[in-house]
PDB file of all heavy atoms in Angstrom:
ATOM      1  N   ARG A   1      -6.606  71.133 -44.737  1.00 94.00           N
ATOM      2  CA  ARG A   1      -7.993  71.319 -44.149  1.00 94.00           C
ATOM      3  C   ARG A   1      -8.266  72.849 -44.057  1.00 94.00           C
ATOM      4  O   ARG A   1      -9.416  73.307 -44.339  1.00 94.00           O
ATOM      5  CB  ARG A   1      -8.077  70.807 -42.701  1.00 94.00           C
ATOM      6  CG  ARG A   1      -8.097  69.111 -42.753  1.00 94.00           C
ATOM      7  CD  ARG A   1      -8.564  68.638 -41.391  1.00 94.00           C
ATOM      8  NE  ARG A   1      -7.477  68.843 -40.423  1.00 94.00           N
ATOM      9  CZ  ARG A   1      -6.578  67.875 -40.188  1.00 94.00           C
ATOM     10  NH1 ARG A   1      -6.512  66.737 -40.844  1.00 94.00           N
ATOM     11  NH2 ARG A   1      -5.610  68.057 -39.271  1.00 94.00           N
ATOM     12  N   ALA A   2      -7.212  73.710 -43.818  1.00 94.00           N
ATOM     13  CA  ALA A   2      -7.422  75.069 -43.653  1.00 94.00           C
ATOM     14  C   ALA A   2      -7.741  75.704 -44.991  1.00 94.00           C
ATOM     15  O   ALA A   2      -8.503  76.755 -45.173  1.00 94.00           O
ATOM     16  CB  ALA A   2      -6.198  75.739 -43.107  1.00 94.00           C
ATOM     17  N   LEU A   3      -7.141  75.206 -46.121  1.00 96.00           N
ATOM     18  CA  LEU A   3      -7.430  75.715 -47.451  1.00 96.00           C
ATOM     19  C   LEU A   3      -8.524  75.096 -48.168  1.00 96.00           C
ATOM     20  O   LEU A   3      -8.940  75.510 -49.271  1.00 96.00           O
ATOM     21  CB  LEU A   3      -6.141  75.570 -48.309  1.00 96.00           C
ATOM     22  CG  LEU A   3      -4.945  76.467 -47.836  1.00 96.00           C
ATOM     23  CD1 LEU A   3      -3.721  76.095 -48.723  1.00 96.00           C
ATOM     24  CD2 LEU A   3      -5.248  77.958 -47.899  1.00 96.00           C
ATOM     25  N   LYS A   4      -9.189  74.084 -47.547  1.00 94.00           N
ATOM     26  CA  LYS A   4     -10.340  73.429 -48.295  1.00 94.00           C
ATOM     27  C   LYS A   4     -11.427  74.422 -48.512  1.00 94.00           C
ATOM     28  O   LYS A   4     -11.866  75.208 -47.597  1.00 94.00           O
ATOM     29  CB  LYS A   4     -10.895  72.271 -47.338  1.00 94.00           C
ATOM     30  CG  LYS A   4     -11.796  71.398 -48.056  1.00 94.00           C
ATOM     31  CD  LYS A   4     -12.105  70.182 -47.225  1.00 94.00           C
ATOM     32  CE  LYS A   4     -13.087  69.224 -47.870  1.00 94.00           C
ATOM     33  NZ  LYS A   4     -13.518  68.129 -47.168  1.00 94.00           N
ATOM     34  N   GLY A   5     -11.915  74.366 -49.697  1.00 94.00           N
ATOM     35  CA  GLY A   5     -13.020  75.340 -50.084  1.00 94.00           C
ATOM     36  C   GLY A   5     -12.582  76.539 -50.775  1.00 94.00           C
ATOM     37  O   GLY A   5     -13.338  77.264 -51.237  1.00 94.00           O
ATOM     38  N   GLU A   6     -11.229  76.903 -50.675  1.00 96.00           N
ATOM     39  CA  GLU A   6     -10.783  77.956 -51.422  1.00 96.00           C
ATOM     40  C   GLU A   6     -10.595  77.657 -52.949  1.00 96.00           C
ATOM     41  O   GLU A   6     -10.433  76.537 -53.225  1.00 96.00           O
ATOM     42  CB  GLU A   6      -9.322  78.440 -50.846  1.00 96.00           C
ATOM     43  CG  GLU A   6      -9.398  78.900 -49.364  1.00 96.00           C
ATOM     44  CD  GLU A   6     -10.228  80.154 -49.157  1.00 96.00           C
ATOM     45  OE1 GLU A   6     -10.092  81.038 -50.129  1.00 96.00           O
ATOM     46  OE2 GLU A   6     -10.860  80.250 -48.134  1.00 96.00           O
ATOM     47  N   ARG A   7     -10.690  78.707 -53.706  1.00 96.00           N
ATOM     48  CA  ARG A   7     -10.572  78.429 -55.157  1.00 96.00           C
ATOM     49  C   ARG A   7      -9.052  78.024 -55.445  1.00 96.00           C
ATOM     50  O   ARG A   7      -8.165  78.793 -55.246  1.00 96.00           O
ATOM     51  CB  ARG A   7     -10.917  79.780 -55.965  1.00 96.00           C
ATOM     52  CG  ARG A   7     -11.038  79.511 -57.486  1.00 96.00           C
ATOM     53  CD  ARG A   7     -11.462  80.768 -58.137  1.00 96.00           C
ATOM     54  NE  ARG A   7     -10.518  81.757 -58.152  1.00 96.00           N
ATOM     55  CZ  ARG A   7      -9.496  81.867 -59.142  1.00 96.00           C
ATOM     56  NH1 ARG A   7      -9.670  81.035 -60.250  1.00 96.00           N
ATOM     57  NH2 ARG A   7      -8.642  82.822 -59.163  1.00 96.00           N
ATOM     58  N   ARG A   8      -8.919  76.768 -55.864  1.00 97.00           N
ATOM     59  CA  ARG A   8      -7.585  76.273 -56.078  1.00 97.00           C
ATOM     60  C   ARG A   8      -6.712  77.029 -56.980  1.00 97.00           C
ATOM     61  O   ARG A   8      -5.516  77.284 -56.774  1.00 97.00           O
ATOM     62  CB  ARG A   8      -7.638  74.772 -56.455  1.00 97.00           C
ATOM     63  CG  ARG A   8      -6.280  74.089 -56.648  1.00 97.00           C
ATOM     64  CD  ARG A   8      -5.548  73.963 -55.290  1.00 97.00           C
ATOM     65  NE  ARG A   8      -4.243  73.372 -55.467  1.00 97.00           N
ATOM     66  CZ  ARG A   8      -3.134  74.114 -55.716  1.00 97.00           C
ATOM     67  NH1 ARG A   8      -3.198  75.510 -55.957  1.00 97.00           N
ATOM     68  NH2 ARG A   8      -1.961  73.597 -55.884  1.00 97.00           N
ATOM     69  N   ALA A   9      -7.303  77.564 -58.043  1.00 97.00           N
ATOM     70  CA  ALA A   9      -6.539  78.241 -59.072  1.00 97.00           C
ATOM     71  C   ALA A   9      -6.081  79.552 -58.597  1.00 97.00           C
ATOM     72  O   ALA A   9      -5.066  80.181 -59.203  1.00 97.00           O
ATOM     73  CB  ALA A   9      -7.430  78.515 -60.313  1.00 97.00           C
ATOM     74  N   GLY A  10      -6.572  80.073 -57.449  1.00 97.00           N
ATOM     75  CA  GLY A  10      -6.187  81.298 -56.905  1.00 97.00           C
ATOM     76  C   GLY A  10      -5.081  81.213 -55.943  1.00 97.00           C
ATOM     77  O   GLY A  10      -4.682  82.242 -55.262  1.00 97.00           O
ATOM     78  N   LEU A  11      -4.589  79.971 -55.699  1.00 98.00           N
ATOM     79  CA  LEU A  11      -3.600  79.680 -54.647  1.00 98.00           C
ATOM     80  C   LEU A  11      -2.272  79.177 -55.370  1.00 98.00           C
ATOM     81  O   LEU A  11      -2.394  78.490 -56.323  1.00 98.00           O
ATOM     82  CB  LEU A  11      -3.979  78.724 -53.622  1.00 98.00           C
ATOM     83  CG  LEU A  11      -5.328  78.941 -52.875  1.00 98.00           C
ATOM     84  CD1 LEU A  11      -5.734  77.822 -52.066  1.00 98.00           C
ATOM     85  CD2 LEU A  11      -5.220  80.211 -52.012  1.00 98.00           C
ATOM     86  N   GLU A  12      -1.138  79.369 -54.648  1.00 98.00           N
ATOM     87  CA  GLU A  12       0.061  78.658 -55.040  1.00 98.00           C
ATOM     88  C   GLU A  12       0.543  77.802 -53.836  1.00 98.00           C
ATOM     89  O   GLU A  12       0.885  78.466 -52.758  1.00 98.00           O
ATOM     90  CB  GLU A  12       1.119  79.691 -55.393  1.00 98.00           C
ATOM     91  CG  GLU A  12       0.735  80.618 -56.520  1.00 98.00           C
ATOM     92  CD  GLU A  12       0.068  81.822 -56.042  1.00 98.00           C
ATOM     93  OE1 GLU A  12       0.450  82.426 -55.011  1.00 98.00           O
ATOM     94  OE2 GLU A  12      -1.102  82.113 -56.620  1.00 98.00           O
ATOM     95  N   ILE A  13       0.448  76.612 -53.972  1.00 98.00           N
ATOM     96  CA  ILE A  13       0.816  75.655 -52.854  1.00 98.00           C
ATOM     97  C   ILE A  13       2.142  74.954 -53.138  1.00 98.00           C
ATOM     98  O   ILE A  13       2.267  74.354 -54.126  1.00 98.00           O
ATOM     99  CB  ILE A  13      -0.238  74.649 -52.575  1.00 98.00           C
ATOM    100  CG1 ILE A  13      -1.677  75.399 -52.262  1.00 98.00           C
ATOM    101  CG2 ILE A  13       0.011  73.699 -51.483  1.00 98.00           C
ATOM    102  CD1 ILE A  13      -2.865  74.393 -52.133  1.00 98.00           C
ATOM    103  N   PHE A  14       3.017  75.140 -52.170  1.00 98.00           N
ATOM    104  CA  PHE A  14       4.381  74.496 -52.384  1.00 98.00           C
ATOM    105  C   PHE A  14       4.604  73.479 -51.229  1.00 98.00           C
ATOM    106  O   PHE A  14       4.190  73.643 -50.114  1.00 98.00           O
ATOM    107  CB  PHE A  14       5.489  75.592 -52.128  1.00 98.00           C
ATOM    108  CG  PHE A  14       5.353  76.674 -53.071  1.00 98.00           C
ATOM    109  CD1 PHE A  14       6.190  77.889 -52.753  1.00 98.00           C
ATOM    110  CD2 PHE A  14       4.510  76.845 -54.199  1.00 98.00           C
ATOM    111  CE1 PHE A  14       6.158  78.956 -53.632  1.00 98.00           C
ATOM    112  CE2 PHE A  14       4.503  77.789 -55.130  1.00 98.00           C
ATOM    113  CZ  PHE A  14       5.310  78.970 -54.788  1.00 98.00           C
ATOM    114  N   THR A  15       5.314  72.312 -51.650  1.00 98.00           N
ATOM    115  CA  THR A  15       5.656  71.483 -50.545  1.00 98.00           C
ATOM    116  C   THR A  15       7.123  70.915 -50.987  1.00 98.00           C
ATOM    117  O   THR A  15       7.661  71.256 -52.046  1.00 98.00           O
ATOM    118  CB  THR A  15       4.657  70.352 -50.237  1.00 98.00           C
ATOM    119  OG1 THR A  15       5.054  69.726 -49.133  1.00 98.00           O
ATOM    120  CG2 THR A  15       4.574  69.399 -51.390  1.00 98.00           C
ATOM    121  N   LYS A  16       7.587  69.967 -50.126  1.00 98.00           N
ATOM    122  CA  LYS A  16       8.953  69.557 -50.316  1.00 98.00           C
ATOM    123  C   LYS A  16       9.106  68.108 -49.987  1.00 98.00           C
ATOM    124  O   LYS A  16       8.254  67.540 -49.202  1.00 98.00           O
ATOM    125  CB  LYS A  16       9.984  70.384 -49.421  1.00 98.00           C
ATOM    126  CG  LYS A  16       9.779  71.842 -49.449  1.00 98.00           C
ATOM    127  CD  LYS A  16      10.794  72.527 -48.560  1.00 98.00           C
ATOM    128  CE  LYS A  16      10.355  73.890 -48.128  1.00 98.00           C
ATOM    129  NZ  LYS A  16       9.240  73.972 -47.316  1.00 98.00           N
ATOM    130  N   VAL A  17      10.239  67.491 -50.427  1.00 98.00           N
ATOM    131  CA  VAL A  17      10.490  66.002 -50.134  1.00 98.00           C
ATOM    132  C   VAL A  17      12.021  65.873 -49.899  1.00 98.00           C
ATOM    133  O   VAL A  17      12.815  66.544 -50.546  1.00 98.00           O
ATOM    134  CB  VAL A  17      10.096  65.172 -51.401  1.00 98.00           C
ATOM    135  CG1 VAL A  17      10.768  65.664 -52.649  1.00 98.00           C
ATOM    136  CG2 VAL A  17      10.446  63.682 -51.074  1.00 98.00           C
ATOM    137  N   TYR A  18      12.397  65.132 -48.937  1.00 98.00           N
ATOM    138  CA  TYR A  18      13.741  64.693 -48.621  1.00 98.00           C
ATOM    139  C   TYR A  18      13.841  64.016 -47.222  1.00 98.00           C
ATOM    140  O   TYR A  18      14.342  62.921 -47.098  1.00 98.00           O
ATOM    141  CB  TYR A  18      14.829  65.794 -48.761  1.00 98.00           C
ATOM    142  CG  TYR A  18      16.254  65.391 -48.254  1.00 98.00           C
ATOM    143  CD1 TYR A  18      16.980  64.668 -49.159  1.00 98.00           C
ATOM    144  CD2 TYR A  18      16.546  65.667 -46.945  1.00 98.00           C
ATOM    145  CE1 TYR A  18      18.262  64.235 -48.575  1.00 98.00           C
ATOM    146  CE2 TYR A  18      17.890  65.251 -46.461  1.00 98.00           C
ATOM    147  CZ  TYR A  18      18.640  64.580 -47.295  1.00 98.00           C
ATOM    148  OH  TYR A  18      19.879  64.199 -46.851  1.00 98.00           O
ATOM    149  N   TRP A  19      13.425  64.765 -46.188  1.00 97.00           N
ATOM    150  CA  TRP A  19      13.619  64.358 -44.832  1.00 97.00           C
ATOM    151  C   TRP A  19      12.740  63.215 -44.549  1.00 97.00           C
ATOM    152  O   TRP A  19      11.722  62.902 -45.140  1.00 97.00           O
ATOM    153  CB  TRP A  19      13.406  65.414 -43.915  1.00 97.00           C
ATOM    154  CG  TRP A  19      14.276  66.619 -44.071  1.00 97.00           C
ATOM    155  CD1 TRP A  19      14.079  67.853 -44.620  1.00 97.00           C
ATOM    156  CD2 TRP A  19      15.630  66.660 -43.595  1.00 97.00           C
ATOM    157  NE1 TRP A  19      15.230  68.618 -44.573  1.00 97.00           N
ATOM    158  CE2 TRP A  19      16.214  67.920 -44.017  1.00 97.00           C
ATOM    159  CE3 TRP A  19      16.508  65.741 -42.901  1.00 97.00           C
ATOM    160  CZ2 TRP A  19      17.525  68.337 -43.695  1.00 97.00           C
ATOM    161  CZ3 TRP A  19      17.771  66.129 -42.583  1.00 97.00           C
ATOM    162  CH2 TRP A  19      18.347  67.466 -42.884  1.00 97.00           C
ATOM    163  N   PRO A  20      13.142  62.392 -43.501  1.00 96.00           N
ATOM    164  CA  PRO A  20      12.318  61.102 -43.231  1.00 96.00           C
ATOM    165  C   PRO A  20      10.841  61.403 -42.895  1.00 96.00           C
ATOM    166  O   PRO A  20      10.509  62.339 -42.170  1.00 96.00           O
ATOM    167  CB  PRO A  20      13.033  60.589 -41.958  1.00 96.00           C
ATOM    168  CG  PRO A  20      14.429  61.142 -42.059  1.00 96.00           C
ATOM    169  CD  PRO A  20      14.271  62.594 -42.614  1.00 96.00           C
ATOM    170  N   THR A  21      10.020  60.627 -43.449  1.00 95.00           N
ATOM    171  CA  THR A  21       8.565  60.677 -43.119  1.00 95.00           C
ATOM    172  C   THR A  21       8.029  59.354 -42.710  1.00 95.00           C
ATOM    173  O   THR A  21       6.790  59.207 -42.459  1.00 95.00           O
ATOM    174  CB  THR A  21       7.826  61.016 -44.432  1.00 95.00           C
ATOM    175  OG1 THR A  21       8.133  60.200 -45.570  1.00 95.00           O
ATOM    176  CG2 THR A  21       8.075  62.471 -44.816  1.00 95.00           C
ATOM    177  N   GLY A  22       8.943  58.393 -42.297  1.00 95.00           N
ATOM    178  CA  GLY A  22       8.566  57.048 -41.816  1.00 95.00           C
ATOM    179  C   GLY A  22       9.837  56.381 -41.394  1.00 95.00           C
ATOM    180  O   GLY A  22      10.986  56.892 -41.484  1.00 95.00           O
ATOM    181  N   PRO A  23       9.640  55.182 -40.847  1.00 95.00           N
ATOM    182  CA  PRO A  23      10.797  54.504 -40.228  1.00 95.00           C
ATOM    183  C   PRO A  23      11.665  53.672 -41.185  1.00 95.00           C
ATOM    184  O   PRO A  23      12.732  53.265 -40.888  1.00 95.00           O
ATOM    185  CB  PRO A  23      10.057  53.479 -39.172  1.00 95.00           C
ATOM    186  CG  PRO A  23       8.732  53.208 -39.887  1.00 95.00           C
ATOM    187  CD  PRO A  23       8.393  54.509 -40.522  1.00 95.00           C
ATOM    188  N   GLY A  24      11.049  53.463 -42.347  1.00 96.00           N
ATOM    189  CA  GLY A  24      11.795  52.646 -43.282  1.00 96.00           C
ATOM    190  C   GLY A  24      13.082  53.309 -43.883  1.00 96.00           C
ATOM    191  O   GLY A  24      13.232  54.531 -44.103  1.00 96.00           O
ATOM    192  N   ARG A  25      14.057  52.523 -44.431  1.00 96.00           N
ATOM    193  CA  ARG A  25      15.220  53.082 -44.949  1.00 96.00           C
ATOM    194  C   ARG A  25      14.986  53.774 -46.240  1.00 96.00           C
ATOM    195  O   ARG A  25      15.807  54.670 -46.652  1.00 96.00           O
ATOM    196  CB  ARG A  25      16.267  51.912 -45.130  1.00 96.00           C
ATOM    197  CG  ARG A  25      15.753  50.920 -46.193  1.00 96.00           C
ATOM    198  CD  ARG A  25      16.805  49.611 -46.247  1.00 96.00           C
ATOM    199  NE  ARG A  25      16.564  48.892 -44.913  1.00 96.00           N
ATOM    200  CZ  ARG A  25      17.401  47.892 -44.500  1.00 96.00           C
ATOM    201  NH1 ARG A  25      18.314  47.524 -45.238  1.00 96.00           N
ATOM    202  NH2 ARG A  25      17.149  47.335 -43.376  1.00 96.00           N
ATOM    203  N   ASN A  26      13.852  53.556 -46.923  1.00 97.00           N
ATOM    204  CA  ASN A  26      13.483  54.311 -48.136  1.00 97.00           C
ATOM    205  C   ASN A  26      12.418  55.378 -47.887  1.00 97.00           C
ATOM    206  O   ASN A  26      11.988  55.975 -48.812  1.00 97.00           O
ATOM    207  CB  ASN A  26      12.969  53.276 -49.276  1.00 97.00           C
ATOM    208  CG  ASN A  26      14.198  52.430 -49.773  1.00 97.00           C
ATOM    209  OD1 ASN A  26      15.186  53.074 -50.292  1.00 97.00           O
ATOM    210  ND2 ASN A  26      13.931  51.116 -49.846  1.00 97.00           N
ATOM    211  N   ASP A  27      12.144  55.589 -46.682  1.00 97.00           N
ATOM    212  CA  ASP A  27      11.217  56.736 -46.299  1.00 97.00           C
ATOM    213  C   ASP A  27      11.951  58.156 -46.195  1.00 97.00           C
ATOM    214  O   ASP A  27      11.590  58.902 -45.345  1.00 97.00           O
ATOM    215  CB  ASP A  27      10.479  56.411 -45.026  1.00 97.00           C
ATOM    216  CG  ASP A  27       9.579  55.190 -45.149  1.00 97.00           C
ATOM    217  OD1 ASP A  27       9.111  54.952 -46.162  1.00 97.00           O
ATOM    218  OD2 ASP A  27       9.319  54.448 -44.102  1.00 97.00           O
ATOM    219  N   ARG A  28      13.010  58.288 -46.974  1.00 97.00           N
ATOM    220  CA  ARG A  28      13.818  59.536 -46.925  1.00 97.00           C
ATOM    221  C   ARG A  28      14.617  59.653 -48.181  1.00 97.00           C
ATOM    222  O   ARG A  28      14.802  58.694 -49.014  1.00 97.00           O
ATOM    223  CB  ARG A  28      14.691  59.404 -45.689  1.00 97.00           C
ATOM    224  CG  ARG A  28      15.720  58.256 -45.709  1.00 97.00           C
ATOM    225  CD  ARG A  28      16.055  57.762 -44.402  1.00 97.00           C
ATOM    226  NE  ARG A  28      14.937  57.153 -43.724  1.00 97.00           N
ATOM    227  CZ  ARG A  28      14.772  57.205 -42.374  1.00 97.00           C
ATOM    228  NH1 ARG A  28      15.682  57.920 -41.662  1.00 97.00           N
ATOM    229  NH2 ARG A  28      13.759  56.649 -41.899  1.00 97.00           N
ATOM    230  N   GLY A  29      15.132  60.829 -48.344  1.00 98.00           N
ATOM    231  CA  GLY A  29      16.002  60.989 -49.536  1.00 98.00           C
ATOM    232  C   GLY A  29      15.332  61.277 -50.798  1.00 98.00           C
ATOM    233  O   GLY A  29      14.136  61.697 -50.825  1.00 98.00           O
ATOM    234  N   LEU A  30      15.955  61.348 -51.961  1.00 98.00           N
ATOM    235  CA  LEU A  30      15.524  61.767 -53.197  1.00 98.00           C
ATOM    236  C   LEU A  30      15.602  60.492 -54.194  1.00 98.00           C
ATOM    237  O   LEU A  30      15.719  60.744 -55.386  1.00 98.00           O
ATOM    238  CB  LEU A  30      16.217  62.967 -53.742  1.00 98.00           C
ATOM    239  CG  LEU A  30      16.051  64.132 -52.951  1.00 98.00           C
ATOM    240  CD1 LEU A  30      16.942  65.324 -53.540  1.00 98.00           C
ATOM    241  CD2 LEU A  30      14.597  64.566 -52.691  1.00 98.00           C
ATOM    242  N   SER A  31      15.508  59.287 -53.787  1.00 98.00           N
ATOM    243  CA  SER A  31      15.424  58.087 -54.629  1.00 98.00           C
ATOM    244  C   SER A  31      13.972  58.236 -55.396  1.00 98.00           C
ATOM    245  O   SER A  31      13.111  58.864 -54.989  1.00 98.00           O
ATOM    246  CB  SER A  31      15.462  56.880 -53.943  1.00 98.00           C
ATOM    247  OG  SER A  31      14.200  56.722 -53.076  1.00 98.00           O
TER     248      SER A  31
END
């Protein structure tokens, strides 16, 4: 929401995956 309206090509946005994001046994890891 904070970056909405900014020129996307002028930004470098990084995110990550691994830690739990839900209660399920497959809501985590790098499967």
